[in-house]
Amino acid sequence: MATPNYGYEKRQRELAKKQKKEEKLRAKSQRRPDDPQGDQPAGESGDGAQGTDQPSGAQGG
């Protein structure tokens, strides 16, 4: 009886993991141009608070 080739199985798992990771990165990069904020969701970033402070300070004086 032949012995199991664990090295081959491990390599196949690594290749599958690498391929899945690349697909995720590819999908993420396709979404990025649509979202100007990048990783931060719109409305929840600190820009909202800064955006209200700066214009009121510049125009209010």
Side-chain angles (χ1 to χ4, degrees):
M1 183 173 192
T3 58
N5 190 350
Y6 293 115
Y8 175 80
E9 293 175 7
K10 182 178 180 182
R11 177 71 176 147
Q12 293 303 309
R13 284 193 306 268
E14 290 174 352
L15 288 173
K17 190 183 292 187
K18 184 178 178 182
Q19 185 179 12
K20 187 174 182 180
K21 186 175 182 180
E22 288 176 355
E23 288 175 4
K24 272 184 140 178
L25 287 173
R26 205 173 302 127
K28 190 174 185 180
S29 66
Q30 288 176 356
R31 282 185 284 161
R32 182 161 282 174
D34 297 340
D35 188 12
Q37 295 292 329
D39 294 335
Q40 297 178 348
E44 293 183 8
S45 64
D47 296 338
Q50 292 175 354
T52 56
D53 290 343
Q54 291 175 352
S56 63
Q59 294 175 355

